[in-house]
């Protein structure tokens, strides 16, 4: 009876798994591949976002197509977390493309290479956490709005790209800047550049000692990472101690397992040293007593 119950439980588990796969694939668009909560419509020469994308989709990849306009196409995807629209020909992106309560965490556009005439770009209040290297290299931007995002600092490579566009006006207020040792290059850039038009409104969000301080009034000597670095060093020392302790335990274990051989080896060395010392002692006695020396010579003859 127990075996029958286990068999029935296994069958039900397989059926539930099969049902979940079927439901996740239900309504999968043409020229797309659906797997659980992931939909991939890549390199299919699409000119629009496909319809009938499953409502439970969390990861959507529509890369390498010819899509140019993004309108209200994601309002029926409330669970969407990651959207990849890279390598398309997007010319317009409606602010109503997503529902107000969307959960989107990552949006990959990577489309600026095809926008050779892009001059004004507003990404205000877009939850941007970083700007990847090469993103702003191609378009001839004149106005870039990055206000009210989640930027903590700007990488050195991004600063270099922005510096290559001296006529570019940038807005950066409303971001939670982290004023520690990782922002020193950005702080130097801000103090020597005229590109950021709202530079007076940039303030530190942390650490607590510099909270609400204007970035322009922060000195490089105030940018500390001591507590974090101490924590890293502390962890490194602990790890090194554990490694050394482990090596010590292994060494002692090897000695214990080979204790008989080591003991025999030490006895052999002791006996060899004793024979060697006795030989030296005998030669010393012969050399110090002429009678023994003559006796030794006669015995040799």
């Amino acid at each position: 009876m127990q075996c029958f119950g286990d068999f029935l439980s296994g069958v039900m588990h397989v059926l539930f798994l099969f049902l979940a796969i079927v439901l996740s694939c239900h309504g999968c668009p043409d020229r797309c591949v659906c797997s659980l909560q992931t939909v991939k419509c890549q390199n299919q020469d699409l000119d629009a976002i496909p319809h009938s994308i499953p409502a439970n989709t969390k990861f959507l990849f529509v890369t390498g197509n010819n899509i140019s306009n993004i309108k209200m196409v994601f309002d029926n995807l409330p669970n969407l977390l990651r959207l990849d629209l890279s390598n398309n020909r997007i010319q317009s992106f409606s602010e109503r493309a997503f529902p107000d309560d969307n959960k989107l965490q990552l949006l990959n556009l990577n489309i600026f290479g095809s926008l050779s005439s892009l001059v004004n770009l507003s990404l205000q209040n877009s939850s941007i956490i970083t700007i990847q290297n090469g993103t702003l290299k191609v378009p001839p931007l004149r106005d870039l709005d990055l206000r009210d995002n989640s930027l903590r600092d700007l990488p050195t490579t991004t600063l270099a790209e922005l510096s290559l566009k001296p006529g570019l006006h940038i807005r950066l207020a409303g971001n939670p800047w982290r004023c520690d040792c990782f922002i020193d290059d950005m702080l130097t850039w801000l103090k020597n550049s005229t590109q950021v038009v709202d530079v007076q409104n940039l303030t530190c969000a942390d650490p607590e000692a510099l909270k609400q301080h204007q970035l322009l009034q922060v000195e490089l000597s105030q940018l500390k990472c001591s507590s974090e670095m101490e924590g890293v060093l502390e962890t490194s020392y602990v790890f090194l101690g554990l490694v050394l302790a482990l090596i010590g335990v292994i060494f002692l274990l090897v000695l214990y397992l080979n204790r008989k051989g080591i003991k025999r080896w030490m006895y052999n060395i002791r006996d060899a040293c004793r024979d060697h010392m006795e030989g030296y002692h005998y030669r010393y006695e012969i050399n110090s007593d002429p009678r023994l020396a003559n006796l030794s010579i006669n015995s040799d003859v």
Side-chain angles (χ1 to χ4, degrees), residues 76-106:
N76 63 332
L77 302 176
N79 300 315
L80 191 61
L81 299 178
R82 178 175 179 178
L83 174 60
D84 193 340
L85 295 171
S86 58
N87 298 319
N88 276 284
R89 301 179 181 274
I90 298 176
Q91 301 295 325
S92 64
F93 201 113
S94 173
E95 61 182 8
R96 296 183 297 172
F98 301 99
D100 294 335
D101 59 344
N102 74 85
K103 300 181 179 64
L104 194 66
Q105 298 176 355
L106 177 63

Side-chain angles (χ1 to χ4, degrees), residues 142-187:
R142 289 292 177 266
D143 191 270
L144 175 61
D145 192 345
L146 292 170
R147 290 176 295 173
D148 304 318
N149 282 286
S150 300
L151 295 170
R152 306 279 282 170
D153 57 53
L154 292 179
T156 304
T157 52
T158 300
L159 298 176
E161 289 180 7
L162 296 176
S163 299
L164 294 176
K165 302 177 183 293
L168 173 62
H169 297 153
I170 311 167
R171 292 172 175 80
L172 295 171
N175 285 282
W177 303 109
R178 180 183 57 200
C179 297
D180 57 16
C181 60
F182 296 104
I183 205 175
D184 54 350
D185 289 337
M186 176 182 169
L187 187 59

Side-chain angles (χ1 to χ4, degrees), residues 28-232:
C28 188
D30 293 338
R31 293 187 285 179
C32 296
V33 177
C34 301
S35 175
L36 296 178
Q37 294 177 309
T38 300
V39 178
K40 296 182 179 181
C41 311
Q42 299 169 301
N43 304 312
Q44 296 297 321
D45 199 28
L46 300 173
D47 55 10
I49 299 295
H51 297 289
S52 303
I53 296 176
N56 66 339
T57 300
K58 288 186 176 181
F59 308 99
L60 177 58
F61 300 86
V62 194
T63 62
N65 291 289
N66 296 317
I67 300 172
S68 59
N69 299 312
I70 303 293
K71 297 181 179 179
M72 295 181 60
V73 290
F74 306 114
D75 55 344
N76 63 332
L77 302 176
N79 300 315
L80 191 61
L81 299 178
R82 178 175 179 178
L83 174 60
D84 193 340
L85 295 171
S86 58
N87 298 319
N88 276 284
R89 301 179 181 274
I90 298 176
Q91 301 295 325
S92 64
F93 201 113
S94 173
E95 61 182 8
R96 296 183 297 172
F98 301 99
D100 294 335
D101 59 344
N102 74 85
K103 300 181 179 64
L104 194 66
Q105 298 176 355
L106 177 63
L107 172 61
N108 185 3
L109 294 176
N110 193 20
I111 58 173
F112 298 127
S114 62
L115 301 179
S116 57
S117 301
L118 183 63
V119 176
N120 301 315
L121 177 61
S122 176
L123 296 172
Q124 183 180 5
N125 195 24
S126 300
S127 300
I128 296 174
I129 60 175
T130 188
I131 300 176
Q132 295 183 353
N133 184 25
T135 302
L136 304 174
K137 190 174 182 179
V138 174
L141 288 174
R142 289 292 177 266
D143 191 270
L144 175 61
D145 192 345
L146 292 170
R147 290 176 295 173
D148 304 318
N149 282 286
S150 300
L151 295 170
R152 306 279 282 170
D153 57 53
L154 292 179
T156 304
T157 52
T158 300
L159 298 176
E161 289 180 7
L162 296 176
S163 299
L164 294 176
K165 302 177 183 293
L168 173 62
H169 297 153
I170 311 167
R171 292 172 175 80
L172 295 171
N175 285 282
W177 303 109
R178 180 183 57 200
C179 297
D180 57 16
C181 60
F182 296 104
I183 205 175
D184 54 350
D185 289 337
M186 176 182 169
L187 187 59
T188 302
W189 175 74
L190 287 174
K191 293 183 176 182
N192 293 280
S193 175
T194 59
Q195 292 179 276
V196 182
V197 297
D198 58 353
V199 66
Q200 299 292 338
N201 299 326
L202 305 188
T203 59
C204 302
D206 57 69
E208 191 65 29
L210 294 175
K211 194 170 184 177
Q212 299 303 321
H213 278 57
Q214 289 188 356
L215 262 66
L216 286 183
Q217 296 180 358
V218 176
E219 298 297 331
L220 291 176
S221 59
Q222 296 178 273
L223 303 179
K224 305 293 184 180
C225 287
S226 56
S227 60
E228 292 163 1
M229 293 303 295
E230 287 175 3
V232 172

